Amino acid sequence: MWNNWRKYIQPGIAASICLLCNQRGGFKYDICPSCERELPWNRHACRRCATPLPAGSDDRVCGHCLRHPPVWDQARSPLLYGWPLDQLIQRFKFHSDLTTGHLLGSLLANFLAADPGPRPALLIPVPLHTSRIRERGFNQAVELARPVAGRLRIPLALHVCRRVRPTDVQSRLDHKARLRNMRGAFEVTAGVAGRDVAVLDDVVTTGATVAALAGCLHAAGAARIRVWSLARAVH
């Protein structure tokens, strides 16, 4: 399946400028083939948490998930958080570069489109608190989700969940502090009982954020919960 999804990234007709090296060419997305190959692809990953596994591993579930299964059912992350992807994500999130955000969302959409399995009924971007949206001007998870929803033809559910209180920036906290930080941060505001849903975020590190949201969806009766992210950070 890994090779199948790459057929969707093919040179297009209109000239583009690579967002990493500034090369001009006829590639379909705003990244040249050489830089696309340099991205840190997550080629062998645990199917429950998307943590990278050793190449050639027959076991597709990591030891941690075998001992402590997450509240969600499946996780998919096409990339690892590292150079040069981290530069693109920083540009997108903290410099309001929505062109870069669309590229990243398209890479995620192409990866997920190669999965022949059934699609979820709803795509739920991890919500930001209103104070963070005012500060940043947009929700990066929503912008990543738009190309995914369009490509996979999944309804984009922006009002199914909400963040009910502001939280500290997760990257500044250790694992235990991240779990405390996210406790009670979300609530489900629309019916998900019996439904197959996907939660989408930009980067999953310890999984504390998506675990908090998935826990709320599970408590609300969601039948299946998937976690989709652009990148998996190795911690």
Side-chain angles (χ1 to χ4, degrees):
M1 189 188 72
W2 170 260
N3 291 325
N4 290 341
W5 84 268
R6 294 172 68 89
K7 67 184 179 182
Y8 293 107
I9 299 183
Q10 296 291 341
I13 297 175
S16 299
I17 297 177
C18 177
L19 293 173
L20 281 171
C21 70
N22 295 320
Q23 173 185 330
R24 184 181 294 274
F27 31 91
K28 185 175 181 180
Y29 298 102
D30 294 322
I31 187 170
C32 70
S34 178
C35 288
E36 184 263 333
R37 287 192 295 270
E38 290 295 317
L39 294 175
W41 299 106
N42 189 13
R43 299 180 187 275
H44 306 280
C46 172
R47 64 174 179 261
R48 289 299 300 271
C49 70
T51 295
L53 296 173
S57 175
D58 293 330
D59 190 356
R60 294 303 305 276
V61 179
C62 71
H64 185 269
C65 286
L66 288 173
R67 295 188 300 270
H68 308 286
V71 67
W72 59 82
D73 299 282
Q74 179 207 64
R76 303 294 308 281
S77 296
L79 293 154
L80 297 174
Y81 188 75
W83 188 89
L85 177 68
D86 54 352
Q87 304 301 307
L88 293 174
I89 291 177
Q90 296 292 319
R91 188 188 305 175
F92 167 44
K93 287 178 66 171
F94 303 117
H95 298 280
S96 302
D97 189 338
L98 297 183
T99 298
T100 299
H102 187 268
L103 164 66
L104 298 175
S106 296
L107 290 174
L108 177 57
N110 291 334
F111 172 77
L112 294 169
D115 190 337
R119 309 291 193 216
L122 297 173
L123 180 59
I124 305 171
V126 171
L128 287 181
H129 191 262
T130 52
S131 60
R132 187 64 55 80
I133 292 177
R134 284 196 298 268
E135 175 187 318
R136 185 172 294 167
F138 66 100
N139 180 345
Q140 72 275 5
V142 171
E143 298 308 316
L144 289 175
R146 294 189 193 281
V148 174
R151 179 64 184 279
L152 274 64
R153 299 182 180 179
I154 303 171
L156 186 57
L158 300 181
H159 305 292
V160 167
C161 301
R162 71 186 185 101
R163 194 176 296 229
V164 295
R165 63 175 182 82
T167 53
D168 294 332
V169 177
Q170 289 283 83
S171 60
R172 301 171 184 169
L173 307 174
D174 62 25
H175 179 57
K176 289 184 178 179
R178 289 179 186 222
L179 292 173
R180 290 194 300 269
N181 187 42
M182 298 310 301
R183 193 171 296 138
F186 301 107
E187 72 174 7
V188 177
T189 56
V192 295
R195 309 195 78 178
D196 181 345
V197 302
V199 171
L200 188 146
D201 207 359
D202 57 341
V203 181
V204 170
T205 305
T206 65
T209 300
V210 292
L213 183 52
C216 290
L217 292 165
H218 179 75
R224 179 176 169 84
I225 303 169
R226 316 178 197 208
V227 171
W228 290 347
S229 61
L230 174 68
R232 189 66 162 89
V234 180
H235 57 89

